[in-house]
């Protein structure tokens, strides 16, 4: 009986807003005896619904859980230029058909396997957590006037750059 289900013991209430600005609110109640499902009710409805618990778990994510965590989002196989800049050297590569060419510090063929290894490593970089959306001072993160390294990837005219900071101690409070 839906009237006997206790929805007040859980803090799971989700409101969906649709394109026409209408809304539907779903309240989540207790888990079933096996702990695999959760009771739910649509606001104003009389029926009790039994949903897989993963539905409620999926809706209970925070903003950081839903953010892109990859450092670079360009398609790794479409990247045609790479720039690696450190305090004492800059390496630049560009793709020429199936080959990688080094532009800097000299013009020559690059080791395709090495460039591909670098691209694979960069494509797999993920953030562990988000510290500050708009830091007032990048030096706090070792990203001041001279970051440890700057990496720029380009694909079809679109570029993405990441500044890599030096270790500066523990992260700021609240981060």
């Amino acid at each position: 009986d839906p009237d006997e289900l206790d929805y007040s013991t859980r803090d799971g209430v989700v409101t969906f807003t649709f394109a026409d600005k209408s809304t539907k609110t779903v309240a989540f109640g207790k888990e079933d005896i096996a702990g695999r499902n959760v009771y739910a009710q649509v606001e104003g409805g009389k029926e009790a619904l039994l949903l897989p618990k993963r539905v409620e778990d999926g809706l209970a994510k925070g903003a950081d859980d839903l953010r892109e965590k990859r450092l670079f989002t360009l398609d790794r196989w479409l990247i045609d230029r790479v720039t690696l800049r450190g305090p004492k050297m800059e390496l630049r590569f560009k793709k020429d058909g199936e080959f990688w060419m080094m532009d800097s510090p000299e013009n020559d063929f690059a080791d395709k396997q090495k460039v591909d290894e670098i691209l694979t490593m960069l494509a797999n970089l993920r953030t562990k957590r988000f510290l500050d959306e708009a830091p007032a001072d990048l030096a706090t993160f070792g990203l001041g006037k001279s970051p440890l390294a700057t990496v720029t990837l380009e694909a079809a005219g679109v570029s993405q750059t990441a500044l890599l900071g030096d270790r500066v101690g523990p992260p700021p409070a609240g981060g």
Side-chain angles (χ1 to χ4, degrees):
D1 182 7
D3 294 330
E4 294 178 14
L5 295 174
D6 183 5
Y7 296 98
S8 65
T9 61
R10 301 179 68 87
D11 55 2
V13 176
V14 177
T15 301
F16 296 93
T17 304
F18 300 97
D20 67 358
K21 307 286 190 239
S22 65
T23 62
K24 289 281 184 192
T25 299
V26 178
F28 292 93
K30 294 180 179 178
E31 293 178 6
D32 69 356
I33 195 164
R36 293 184 184 155
N37 300 297
V38 63
Y39 292 98
Q41 187 174 42
V42 175
E43 183 180 38
K46 298 271 186 209
E47 307 86 25
L49 308 170
L50 189 60
L51 302 175
K53 188 167 180 331
R54 63 182 153 71
V55 171
E56 181 188 30
D57 293 343
L59 294 171
K61 300 210 179 277
D64 282 353
D65 295 321
L66 301 173
R67 290 179 71 176
E68 176 64 64
K69 291 179 179 58
R70 292 179 297 161
L71 208 57
F72 295 101
T73 58
L74 295 174
D75 184 328
R76 181 253 179 273
W77 300 106
L78 297 180
I79 293 171
D80 51 19
R81 290 188 180 273
V82 179
T83 303
L84 307 171
R85 185 175 296 124
K88 297 184 180 182
M89 181 180 282
E90 177 177 284
L91 299 172
R92 285 193 325 244
F93 305 94
K94 71 176 179 180
K95 194 157 193 186
D96 186 4
E98 292 298 312
F99 300 99
W100 280 100
M101 305 299 294
M102 183 184 300
D103 276 354
S104 174
E106 48 189 77
N107 291 318
D108 200 353
F109 284 95
D111 183 328
K112 181 181 183 324
Q113 183 176 346
K114 294 286 186 200
V115 175
D116 285 342
E117 286 174 10
I118 291 168
L119 287 175
T120 298
M121 184 264 310
L122 293 171
N124 289 321
L125 286 177
R126 305 276 190 276
T127 185
K128 289 183 179 180
R129 60 190 170 129
F130 298 94
L131 297 175
D132 193 341
E133 197 66 37
D137 182 11
L138 288 175
T140 303
F141 304 101
L143 298 168
K145 293 180 183 177
S146 300
L148 188 63
T150 303
V151 178
T152 302
L153 303 180
E154 296 179 46
V158 176
S159 70
Q160 293 180 339
T161 299
L163 304 177
L164 305 178
D166 201 356
R167 293 181 188 265
V168 293

